[in-house]
Amino acid sequence: MEVFLQTGYSALVTDTATGVLPDSGPLALFTHLARTSLFLEALQEECLEPYGLSFGDYSVLRVLRQLGPPYRLSPKNLADTVVRTSGGMTKIIDRLQRAGLVERLPDPDDRRALLVGLTRKGIRVSDKASDAYKAGRERILRRLSTGETEEIDSSLRRLLAVFEHDHKGELL
């Protein structure tokens, strides 16, 4: 099975044994999702790289910022929220701490635990990166009608729920 990418709306999905398949069905759906993912990653990089952030870094800053003052959460809760392993979250927190965007603080409710909190610089960078990412999203979404956006969102929410249950080994 080979996939030939083109710059148009869809990809030609070719089965080397039988020729070109219709641009619909499960294989085409996953090809479209994969291509969309690549374009989304490129948009995120375009918007966030000027601030020295990966999308994972930005996700942590955004989650903390959305909490409101004092902008703190445990590393475990952050990892669960942004879907990262504990080791992956440690790497992100280390990187953000070196950049002066977050700090590790003692948890006032549990002397054995730490919280991750936004610094003032982290709040500023988070806000600027959010503005840039919002502008990028709006640039893409303004090409779709409100109805199209709602239909895509509804379908993706359903597919996401299926993936989340599959990831957990649960039946729907």
Side-chain angles (χ1 to χ4, degrees):
M1 185 83 50
E2 295 179 31
V3 177
F4 299 97
L5 301 180
Q6 62 186 33
T7 57
Y9 167 74
S10 60
L12 290 175
V13 179
T14 304
D15 181 326
T16 54
T18 63
V20 176
L21 297 172
D23 194 22
S24 63
L27 180 59
L29 170 64
F30 273 77
T31 300
H32 294 149
L33 288 171
R35 286 177 50 81
T36 301
S37 174
L38 293 172
F39 282 113
L40 178 58
E41 287 174 18
L43 175 69
Q44 291 166 341
E45 184 176 329
E46 169 195 322
C47 296
L48 302 174
E49 191 275 330
Y51 303 96
L53 300 174
S54 69
F55 187 72
D57 298 341
Y58 169 71
S59 296
V60 168
L61 296 179
R62 187 191 71 220
V63 166
L64 292 170
R65 183 69 168 117
Q66 289 177 337
L67 289 172
Y71 311 109
R72 295 178 184 160
L73 199 60
S74 74
K76 182 188 181 332
N77 286 337
L78 275 171
D80 291 346
T81 302
V82 301
V83 192
R84 293 289 188 272
T85 64
S86 60
M89 182 53 54
T90 297
K91 290 178 184 179
I92 291 172
I93 294 167
D94 288 347
R95 189 170 43 251
L96 293 173
Q97 188 172 24
R98 281 192 303 273
L101 303 176
V102 300
E103 57 189 347
R104 287 178 168 97
L105 304 158
D107 184 336
D109 298 326
D110 182 351
R111 291 184 345 188
R112 299 166 295 162
L114 291 175
L115 297 174
V116 178
L118 279 179
T119 63
R120 288 183 188 162
K121 179 181 177 184
I123 291 169
R124 286 192 308 274
V125 169
S126 175
D127 290 348
K128 288 178 182 178
S130 289
D131 290 344
Y133 190 39
K134 179 182 177 187
R137 289 191 314 264
E138 289 174 350
R139 185 181 81 225
I140 300 303
L141 293 179
R142 73 172 162 243
R143 297 177 177 138
L144 301 172
S145 71
T146 301
E148 287 173 316
T149 301
E150 290 170 356
E151 183 179 350
I152 293 166
D153 183 54
S154 176
S155 295
L156 287 175
R157 283 175 187 265
R158 173 70 178 116
L159 182 59
L160 179 60
V162 170
F163 271 112
E164 288 173 339
H165 285 279
D166 182 74
H167 180 73
K168 294 175 184 175
E170 300 171 352
L171 298 176
L172 285 177

